[in-house]
Amino acid sequence: MPTLILVRHGRSTANTEGLLAGWTPGVALDERGAAQAAELPGRLAELPLAEIVTSPLQRCQETIRPLLHARPELNPHTDERIGECHYGDWSGRKLAELKDEPLMEVVQAHPSAAAFPGGESMRAMQTRAAEAVREWNARVERDHGADAVYLMCSHGDIIKSLVAEALGLHLDLFQRISVEPCSITAIRYTRLRPFLVRLGDTGDFTSLVPREEPPGDDAQVGGGAGAP
């Protein structure tokens, strides 16, 4: 079965403003995010990509634009199932304000029970994304062969949930996974089991440098902004 390259979108204006973007329209890449996107074709130059699938949200569309320019033979496919979690009433709010919401403790410690007011549950988010991957795996294998490589550009929580699903981890453990903006995660699927072969690879270790203000114990809902 194919190998899936998961790319999180580059750093966005919502990331730098500390907002939980969700499906809020008009969330673009910031200057650093645009630079990250511009580097993506070089980072993936050795990979013979068979297909490109992307979330419909602007920040993902902008992230893959340089890659599509470098590979004009590829036509992107948009799939809403790999779009960001529907955070409902939380969308567009500051993460600093949301940390005191009682639901945030559930999101952090028991995400399989978390459902966002006016939005969807994290369990439903994982289910739709995993179904999309299974269907695309079958389509890519049918059209390009079992050894094909294809790419999906998506969002932090979506990618984390797909990694958890591939590793057989309960969704309640997915907050232990971290994927930075424009990071590359690769999962090789086989008939019996998936193999996680890359996780959150950016080629940049700046985010590991100790900070004056430690990041804290909670997971970054939505994925975080990456290195400062």
Side-chain angles (χ1 to χ4, degrees):
M1 295 179 70
T3 295
L4 170 60
I5 307 299
L6 289 160
V7 176
R8 186 184 168 202
H9 62 78
R11 196 173 75 174
S12 72
T13 53
N15 293 145
T16 48
E17 292 170 8
L19 301 176
L20 186 62
W23 284 69
T24 304
V27 177
L29 298 183
D30 66 8
E31 185 176 351
R32 180 170 181 172
Q36 291 171 332
E39 294 172 356
L40 198 56
R43 294 169 63 196
L44 298 172
E46 300 301 318
L47 293 181
L49 297 176
E51 300 281 2
I52 292 180
V53 187
T54 180
S55 157
L57 296 175
Q58 180 178 340
R59 52 198 182 273
C60 287
Q61 302 278 338
E62 291 181 355
T63 297
I64 65 163
R65 192 171 295 156
L67 181 60
L68 292 171
H69 181 74
R71 303 199 187 193
E73 73 280 4
L74 292 174
N75 293 314
H77 306 273
T78 298
D79 194 326
E80 291 195 358
R81 295 174 296 176
I82 62 167
E84 181 62 285
C85 185
H86 290 276
Y87 296 118
D89 298 343
W90 279 25
S91 298
R93 291 182 60 188
K94 284 192 171 292
L95 287 163
E97 298 172 357
L98 291 170
K99 70 178 182 179
D100 296 325
E101 293 278 354
L103 177 59
M104 182 59 85
E105 187 176 11
V106 182
V107 170
Q108 292 290 330
H110 190 20
S112 66
F116 296 97
E120 70 178 333
S121 68
M122 304 199 88
R123 191 172 60 254
M125 172 201 74
Q126 183 187 44
T127 297
R128 63 171 164 85
E131 287 177 350
V133 167
R134 282 191 286 272
E135 289 182 19
W136 277 102
N137 281 349
R139 177 172 173 176
V140 169
E141 181 172 6
R142 180 196 69 204
D143 295 344
H144 304 282
D147 294 328
V149 179
Y150 75 107
L151 180 147
M152 283 184 169
C153 185
S154 188
H155 306 265
D157 281 350
I158 294 287
I159 295 172
K160 288 162 55 179
S161 75
L162 289 171
V163 169
E165 199 263 351
L167 292 176
L169 296 178
H170 196 283
L171 184 60
D172 286 345
L173 301 178
F174 101 124
Q175 297 289 29
R176 302 183 183 193
I177 300 165
S178 177
V179 289
E180 292 192 7
C182 225
S183 63
I184 293 172
T185 295
I187 302 172
R188 180 167 60 85
Y189 289 87
T190 73
R191 186 174 64 88
L192 298 180
R193 64 184 64 84
F195 292 89
L196 179 66
V197 293
R198 293 287 189 281
L199 176 61
D201 188 343
T202 63
D204 179 1
F205 298 101
T206 309
S207 63
L208 301 180
V209 175
R211 305 183 188 181
E212 292 183 7
E213 186 175 335
D217 297 330
D218 286 343
Q220 294 281 336
V221 179

